[in-house]
Amino acid sequence: EFGGESSLLGNGVPEGTADSGWILLDYGDVMVHIMTPKSRLFYDIEGQWREKGGEYMDLNDVLLPNSAPMGNMQPQAGGSMGGISE
């Protein structure tokens, strides 16, 4: 179960750049991959995990839907992903 014995030991500092098409956030037991659609197809992370016995985890109960259209989002100070385009 999510949040059970898992721990968030990593620091979550982004690895990679917006220009690379792939940014990784390492939180210890949880790793977040932020990829452009093109990079996601090329690297096929889901397929690699499936081949090695990885299990699908439905996160719909813990993820929040987008609440504001992209045009209404306010930029945050220090953000490094502004102006990303495919």
PDB file of all heavy atoms in Angstrom, residues 10 16 24 43 54 65 77:
ATOM      1  N   GLY A  10      15.254  10.279  -0.400  1.00  0.00           N
ATOM      2  CA  GLY A  10      15.977  11.105  -1.356  1.00  0.00           C
ATOM      3  C   GLY A  10      15.658  12.567  -1.154  1.00  0.00           C
ATOM      4  O   GLY A  10      14.766  12.942  -0.396  1.00  0.00           O
ATOM      5  N   GLY A  16      18.780  15.990 -14.679  1.00  0.00           N
ATOM      6  CA  GLY A  16      18.403  16.158 -16.070  1.00  0.00           C
ATOM      7  C   GLY A  16      17.974  17.597 -16.299  1.00  0.00           C
ATOM      8  O   GLY A  16      17.921  18.406 -15.370  1.00  0.00           O
ATOM      9  N   LEU A  24      14.417  13.540 -13.730  1.00  0.00           N
ATOM     10  CA  LEU A  24      14.207  12.521 -12.707  1.00  0.00           C
ATOM     11  C   LEU A  24      14.244  13.178 -11.331  1.00  0.00           C
ATOM     12  O   LEU A  24      15.117  13.980 -11.037  1.00  0.00           O
ATOM     13  CB  LEU A  24      15.320  11.468 -12.788  1.00  0.00           C
ATOM     14  CG  LEU A  24      15.333  10.417 -11.684  1.00  0.00           C
ATOM     15  CD1 LEU A  24      14.181   9.460 -11.873  1.00  0.00           C
ATOM     16  CD2 LEU A  24      16.655   9.689 -11.673  1.00  0.00           C
ATOM     17  N   TYR A  43      12.382   5.793 -24.756  1.00  0.00           N
ATOM     18  CA  TYR A  43      12.989   5.020 -23.670  1.00  0.00           C
ATOM     19  C   TYR A  43      12.120   3.869 -23.169  1.00  0.00           C
ATOM     20  O   TYR A  43      12.628   2.927 -22.579  1.00  0.00           O
ATOM     21  CB  TYR A  43      13.354   5.946 -22.499  1.00  0.00           C
ATOM     22  CG  TYR A  43      14.499   6.864 -22.839  1.00  0.00           C
ATOM     23  CD1 TYR A  43      14.288   8.200 -23.095  1.00  0.00           C
ATOM     24  CD2 TYR A  43      15.796   6.381 -22.917  1.00  0.00           C
ATOM     25  CE1 TYR A  43      15.338   9.049 -23.411  1.00  0.00           C
ATOM     26  CE2 TYR A  43      16.857   7.214 -23.234  1.00  0.00           C
ATOM     27  CZ  TYR A  43      16.614   8.548 -23.480  1.00  0.00           C
ATOM     28  OH  TYR A  43      17.662   9.364 -23.795  1.00  0.00           O
ATOM     29  N   GLY A  54       7.947  -5.817 -13.048  1.00  0.00           N
ATOM     30  CA  GLY A  54       7.329  -4.681 -12.369  1.00  0.00           C
ATOM     31  C   GLY A  54       5.819  -4.791 -12.397  1.00  0.00           C
ATOM     32  O   GLY A  54       5.235  -5.431 -13.276  1.00  0.00           O
ATOM     33  N   PRO A  65      -6.351  15.874 -10.011  1.00  0.00           N
ATOM     34  CA  PRO A  65      -6.490  16.303 -11.410  1.00  0.00           C
ATOM     35  C   PRO A  65      -6.030  17.743 -11.560  1.00  0.00           C
ATOM     36  O   PRO A  65      -5.990  18.506 -10.577  1.00  0.00           O
ATOM     37  CB  PRO A  65      -7.993  16.170 -11.663  1.00  0.00           C
ATOM     38  CG  PRO A  65      -8.622  16.292 -10.312  1.00  0.00           C
ATOM     39  CD  PRO A  65      -7.620  15.706  -9.344  1.00  0.00           C
ATOM     40  N   ALA A  77       8.711  31.440  -8.561  1.00  0.00           N
ATOM     41  CA  ALA A  77      10.077  31.944  -8.481  1.00  0.00           C
ATOM     42  C   ALA A  77      11.059  30.796  -8.469  1.00  0.00           C
ATOM     43  O   ALA A  77      10.857  29.794  -7.802  1.00  0.00           O
ATOM     44  CB  ALA A  77      10.250  32.801  -7.221  1.00  0.00           C
TER      45      ALA A  77
END
